[in-house]
């Protein structure tokens, strides 16, 4: 394992971090693994300290109030039209309407280019996007800022990994304003903590309860179930077993799913209404909870209300199948599409031996020789590549919307996976988007006012990873924008 | 909800990326009852001046470029400018303006830079400094700042204006710059695509395949090499149309801003793609297409400027020229002297200004390039002085530092 220290530093930054920024390669070359471990040893590892961001409850209530206001405006407008028809009353002044174009101002379909006057620009600036989208964008900005600002980005990459493992979708009902809060409240505090704690935080978070429908799952024999003709929803229980813990085809049965779904009935949210202090936050509602003992995966759990579900989650978290499932996903994400079995077993064993201590599992990942000897064959996911590009270009992020739009174009829209299994970690999935990456790299090159010479660009972004061919292609570019685009598209920058 | 803020106008404009800069109306010009507009277009990649404006009257011309030489006869007949020079046939609008006395060609011109690096050449072209190095400001911005000391923007937004995704260096500096970017930036050029494919083919066949397939070029690649083969005609047409549309939209928008009574008076924008090392195609290929797009862009400026065209000068400049000879891949390599194209109703045009150096081997710079006989700074100084009324000492010391010996060209506008 006698890697050249600068080579290992550059590899660490690309494979385990968000790519080099400034003189990062030189800065960590003395001890790349130590620098990575230091990132997860920090007491606040993975957290974002930004008092301006809303808690999940605050965001839910703000979005609720916003919807209520809009409803009131619509009703009043209808009343005005009615009054005008009857020849009575002048319409009262209304709050200005939101400009729908601002919801995504970078859409390619926008045709306003030639019409954009200064007045229009001012008018648009005065009309921000609708509140849920505003919150989504603020959270997106905080997330990108954290990824761009970090030294190596190992802790942030872990956040992104776990956030995708336990994904929710902004496209599902009212979850849009909650996506950022979910990640900050359920994922970030635990990336260097215990898997069991993360699991509990995730499965009891309002965003997850809404996304996988548990908020309205009702025990058939519960008080609420007896009164109304509604009942059980198995969605969350199934995905916890299949995706979040044990993994698919690990021996659990349909009966296990149904029983587990009954166990977590009553895990819901405090109803949203005006001026209710905890509205939109997690609540255990005993009136919805199936009041019996249940058997899940061969073990009986006596009814204890909320504690029944906690007990099942705690056992799932330490199940050997969970250890193997998580080990495989970690190794696949960071090291190789088909990771070395020895690495997977090493991580699984560490998970079992430490009762799911994620800091310890992560340390094994960093110290395992296989993590460093695997070829650099994995294509970066679009979002990782975008952040790496920002870092290589030395860009200070002012407006997050072009980035959000770029992620959409590249098929990895932020917090909007197509299904609960999240975005793929398989390189071939992302190969198709290479042409779109080129267009974005091209635009990026046009937008970044770099004064760096070609050699300096390559040294910053790739250092010893750069091939002679890449150095020469960047050096021979006809302009700095083209040089930067070629650098960001170089195989050594696309792969990690 | 303190975290949520509406972007300011400035943030919005910067975010959306455009590039004009506008600053105060020159006070002296205003006193004369004039309201001059000035727009500069930077061609990045080095324009082949001999492919744009051919010295058809030079006895060495045909021998030099052989079948790649623009001629007055044939299918792609060049448009005569005078008894010696002829314009690339892809530029009918520029030709019309020339005939109307509203366009001027300056030939065998160059910045003081004598090396052949794009980056350094572009830095010198835009910074106005005599040597490469880290430059933070450009000559156009400094010219503005010198017209109105302090260069503050007045409340009504009568600043100087710049258009483009990144404000070009030429217009960066002490005077405030507002920028605007067309929302549809052009897609990566064929040139960038080919360079990337070449890199992939040498280093990462899987990525090469993925890109080729996505670009619809797999068939061409199988047929035996991107480099020798012209592009898929359909894809090529679409690309050309996009480039034309982008050029026209960018310049047309710039002209709309500059043409407004309360708008900016100075603008800058940059077009990439002129580095024609292979298959240059001066008469019917890539260079012809680019020049056609540039010609359309000049027409868009004339149209959108409206009555203000009368008081407008557009200066089209590039970092250096290209080799006099065609190279082994039917293109040209980095050279020295080239053309500057001027257009606008304020010009005293209809002339090719050149102290022609000749094309014999002994006439060429380093035995390979068109020799520079006109300092591009003389042309720019002449325009800034007579059109915008920038003072001589500012031109010599601030705008183009160390250019005291380079006399401003006289009589360009009138």
């Amino acid at each position: 394992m006698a890697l050249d220290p600068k080579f290992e530093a550059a590899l660490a930054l690309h494979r385990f971090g968000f790519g080099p920024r400034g003189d990062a390669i030189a800065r960590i070359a003395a001890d790349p693994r130590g620098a990575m471990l230091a990132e997860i040893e920090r007491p606040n590892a993975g957290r974002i300290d930004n008092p301006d961001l809303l808690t999940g409850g605050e965001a839910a209530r703000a979005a609720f109030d916003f919807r209520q206001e809009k409803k009131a405006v619509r009703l009043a407008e209808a009343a005005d039209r009615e009054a005008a028809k009857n020849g009575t009353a002048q319409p009262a002044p209304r709050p200005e309407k939101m400009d729908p174009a601002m919801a995504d101002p970078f859409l390619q379909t926008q045709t306003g280019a030639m019409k954009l006057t200064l007045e229009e620009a001012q008018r648009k600036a005065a009309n921000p996007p609708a509140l849920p989208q505003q919150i989504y964008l603020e959270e997106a900005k905080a997330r990108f800022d954290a990824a761009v600002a970090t030294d190596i980005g190992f802790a942030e990459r872990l956040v992104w990994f776990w956030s995708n493992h336990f994904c929710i979708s902004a496209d599902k009902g009212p979850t849009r304003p909650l996506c950022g809060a979910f990640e900050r409240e359920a994922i970030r505090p635990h990336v260097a903590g215990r898997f069991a704690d993360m699991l509990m935080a995730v499965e009891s978070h309002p965003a997850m309860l809404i996304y996988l429908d548990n908020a309205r799952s009702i025990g058939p024999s519960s008080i609420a179930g007896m009164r109304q003709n509604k009942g059980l929803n198995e969605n969350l229980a199934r995905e916890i077993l299949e995706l979040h813990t044990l993994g698919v085809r690990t021996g659990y049965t349909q009966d296990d799913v149904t029983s587990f779904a009954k166990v977590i009935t009553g895990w819901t949210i405090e109803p949203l209404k005006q001026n209710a202090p905890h509205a939109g936050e997690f609540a255990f509602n005993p009136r919805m909870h199936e009041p019996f003992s249940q058997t899940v995966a061969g073990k009986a759990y006596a009814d204890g209300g909320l504690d029944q579900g906690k007990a099942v989650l705690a056992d799932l978290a330490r199940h050997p199948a969970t250890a193997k499932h998580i080990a495989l996903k970690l190794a696949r994400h960071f090291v190789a599409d088909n990771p070395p079995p020895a690495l997977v077993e090493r991580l699984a064993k560490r998970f079992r031996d430490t009762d799911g201590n994620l800091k310890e599992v992560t340390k094994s990942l960093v110290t395992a020789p296989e993590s460093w000897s695997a070829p650099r064959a994995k294509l970066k996911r679009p979002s990782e590549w975008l952040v790496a590009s920002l870092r290589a270009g030395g860009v200070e992020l002012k407006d997050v919307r072009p980035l959000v739009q770029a992620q959409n174009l590249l098929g990895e829209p932020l917090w909007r996976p197509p299904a609960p299994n999240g975005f793929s970690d398989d390189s071939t999935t992302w190969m198709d988007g290479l042409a779109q990456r080129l267009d974005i790299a091209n635009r990026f090159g046009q937008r970044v006012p770099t004064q760096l010479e070609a050699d300096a660009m390559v040294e910053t972004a790739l250092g010893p990873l750069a091939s002679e061919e890449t150095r020469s292609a960047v050096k021979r570019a006809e302009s700095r924008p083209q040089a930067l685009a070629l650098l960001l598209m170089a195989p050594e920058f696309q792969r990690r | 909800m303190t975290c949520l803020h509406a972007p300011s106008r400035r943030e919005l404009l910067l975010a959306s990326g455009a590039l004009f800069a506008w600053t105060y109306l020159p006070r002296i010009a205003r006193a004369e009852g004039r309201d001059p507009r000035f727009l500069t277009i930077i061609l990045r990649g080095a324009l082949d001046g001999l492919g744009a404006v051919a010295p058809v009257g030079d006895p060495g011309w045909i021998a030099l470029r052989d079948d790649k030489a623009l001629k007055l006869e044939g299918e792609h007949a060049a448009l005569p400018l005078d008894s010696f020079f002829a314009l690339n046939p892809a530029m009918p609008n520029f030709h019309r303006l020339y005939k109307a006395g509203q366009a001027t060609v300056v030939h065998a011109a160059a910045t003081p830079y004598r090396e052949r690096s794009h980056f350094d050449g572009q830095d010198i072209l835009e910074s106005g400094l005599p040597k490469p190095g880290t430059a933070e400001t450009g000559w156009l911005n400094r010219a503005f700042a010198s017209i109105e000391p302090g260069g503050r923007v007045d409340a009504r937004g009568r600043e100087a204006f710049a258009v483009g995704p990144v404000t070009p260096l030429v217009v960066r500096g002490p005077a405030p710059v507002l920028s605007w970017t067309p929302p549809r930036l052009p897609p990566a050029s064929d040139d960038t695509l080919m360079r990337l494919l070449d890199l992939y083919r040498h280093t990462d066949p899987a990525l090469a395949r993925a890109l080729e397939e996505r670009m619809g070029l797999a068939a061409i690649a199988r047929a035996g090499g991107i480099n020798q083969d012209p592009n898929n005609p359909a894809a090529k047409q679409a690309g050309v149309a996009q480039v034309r549309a982008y050029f026209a939209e960018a310049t047309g928008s710039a002209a709309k801003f500059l043409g407004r009574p309360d708008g900016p008076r100075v603008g800058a924008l940059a077009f990439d793609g002129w580095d024609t090392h292979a298959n240059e195609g001066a008469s019917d290929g890539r260079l012809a297409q680019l020049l056609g797009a540039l010609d359309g862009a000049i027409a868009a400026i004339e149209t959108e400027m409206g009555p203000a065209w009368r008081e407008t000068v557009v200066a089209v400049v590039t970092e250096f020229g290209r080799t006099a000879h065609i190279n082994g891949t039917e293109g040209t390599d980095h050279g020295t002297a080239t053309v500057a194209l001027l257009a606008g109703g304020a010009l005293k045009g209809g002339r090719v200004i050149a102290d022609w150096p000749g094309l014999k081997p002994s006439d060429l710079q380093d035995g390979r390039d068109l020799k520079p006989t006109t300092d591009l700074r003389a042309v720019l100084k002449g325009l800034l002085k007579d059109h915008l009324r920038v003072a001589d000492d500012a031109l010599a010391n601030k705008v183009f530092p160390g250019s005291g010996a380079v006399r401003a060209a006289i009589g360009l506008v009138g």
Side-chain angles (χ1 to χ4, degrees), chain B residues 239-261:
Chain B
V240 172
Q242 277 172 316
V243 168
R244 287 191 74 99
Y246 175 73
F247 277 27
E249 179 175 8
T251 52
S253 300
K256 276 186 182 172
F257 281 105
L258 289 169
R260 285 166 61 125

Side-chain angles (χ1 to χ4, degrees), chain B residues 261-278:
Chain B
D262 62 344
R265 289 297 175 264
V266 180
L269 43 79
F271 292 138
D272 297 347
W274 305 85
D275 195 18
T276 47
H277 284 285

Side-chain angles (χ1 to χ4, degrees), chain A residues 398-475:
Chain A
K398 291 206 177 71
D399 185 348
V400 76
R401 290 172 298 182
L403 268 186
V404 170
Q405 179 61 13
Q407 258 195 268
N408 294 349
L409 286 174
L410 294 174
E412 196 194 2
L414 177 61
W415 294 317
R416 291 166 56 206
N421 56 347
F423 291 107
S424 168
D425 244 326
D426 189 62
S427 293
T428 53
T429 308
W430 303 111
M431 276 289 193
D432 287 352
L434 207 59
Q436 281 87 342
R437 290 192 195 199
L438 174 56
D439 277 341
I440 286 171
N442 186 54
R443 258 186 267 178
F444 190 81
Q446 304 269 343
R447 281 175 194 272
V448 175
T450 178
Q451 290 290 315
L452 285 182
E453 291 302 324
D455 290 340
M457 282 186 203
V458 175
E459 276 314 308
T460 296
L462 292 171
L465 300 179
S467 67
E468 275 316 307
E469 289 89 344
T470 291
R471 286 179 190 278
S472 148
V474 173
K475 206 181 170 68

Side-chain angles (χ1 to χ4, degrees), chain B residues 315-402:
Chain B
V316 183
V317 293
T318 187
E319 68 258 35
F320 42 69
R322 310 194 67 82
T323 48
H325 291 277
I326 300 292
N327 67 16
T329 56
E330 311 205 333
T332 49
D333 295 316
H334 301 181
T336 309
T338 182
V339 291
L341 303 175
L342 313 177
L347 286 171
K348 198 158 77 191
R351 298 179 288 160
V352 179
I353 298 171
D355 175 7
W356 191 244
L359 297 175
K360 291 198 295 290
S362 57
D363 296 332
L364 298 178
Q365 175 85 12
D366 303 331
R368 50 176 269 160
D369 307 336
L370 184 64
K371 184 180 292 201
T373 52
T374 298
D375 192 317
L376 182 63
R377 293 174 297 177
V379 178
L380 297 171
K381 285 170 83 166
L383 294 174
L384 294 173
K385 177 180 167 153
D386 291 343
H387 190 52
L388 298 183
R389 297 288 187 262
V390 180
D392 279 323
D393 61 332
L395 286 173
N397 300 312
K398 287 187 184 152
V399 180
F400 295 103

Side-chain angles (χ1 to χ4, degrees), chain A residues 5-6 8-14 18-32 35 39 148-153 391-392 459-461 463-464:
Chain A
K6 268 187 83 179
E8 185 172 306
L11 180 58
L13 282 154
H14 280 279
F18 276 114
R21 171 173 164 262
D23 63 347
I25 295 176
R27 224 170 43 237
I28 68 164
D31 181 10
E39 272 199 358
V148 171
T150 177
D151 281 347
I152 299 170
R391 289 164 64 95
E459 276 314 308
T460 296

Side-chain angles (χ1 to χ4, degrees), chain A residues 173 185 207 215 269 339 372 426:
Chain A
E185 292 165 356
I269 58 171
W372 301 89
D426 189 62

Side-chain angles (χ1 to χ4, degrees), chain B residues 24-28 142-149 266 384 388-391 394:
Chain B
Y24 282 109
L25 180 62
R27 190 184 282 158
I28 301 166
R142 293 195 304 273
F144 262 131
S146 76
I147 293 166
E148 195 74 12
V266 180
L384 294 173
L388 298 183
R389 297 288 187 262
V390 180

